[in-house]
Amino acid sequence: SGLNPAIFHPDNAAYKAEVRKRYGVSDNAFLLLFVGEYNRKGLATVVQALAQVKSHQTPIHLLAVGRGNASAFQALASSCGVA
């Protein structure tokens, strides 16, 4: 599948800490990872869903990796109040 389980294993605390530090995500926050072509895989739906749960007690961060017009989705996030 092309995935290295030694790196992307849920118990790899050092890797998780590095990613959280790199993107400024606290240990108590949820970190969602979106991977794919932004339009085809539904990044807009994810951003809009985050707007629905933004009042949740636990902070939520979205890390999107893939192809597409990132600035359009950043604008959407801003308009939804989740930027």
Side-chain angles (χ1 to χ4, degrees):
S1 75
L3 180 73
N4 183 341
I7 296 173
F8 296 102
H9 191 275
D11 292 332
N12 190 336
Y15 181 76
K16 288 193 288 189
E18 176 186 333
V19 170
R20 285 178 174 275
K21 181 179 179 184
R22 180 181 305 159
Y23 296 103
V25 179
S26 66
D27 289 338
N28 68 330
F30 286 116
L31 177 58
L32 303 177
L33 176 63
F34 177 96
V35 178
E37 186 178 337
Y38 296 163
N39 289 321
R40 195 171 65 124
K41 294 295 184 175
L43 181 56
T45 302
V46 175
V47 171
Q48 292 165 343
L50 286 176
Q52 298 296 312
V53 296
K54 72 179 183 178
S55 64
H56 192 274
Q57 295 287 348
T58 304
I60 302 172
H61 296 263
L62 173 64
L63 177 58
V65 180
R67 292 183 181 176
N69 183 354
S71 61
F73 292 98
Q74 289 169 339
L76 176 61
S78 290
S79 71
C80 290
V82 294

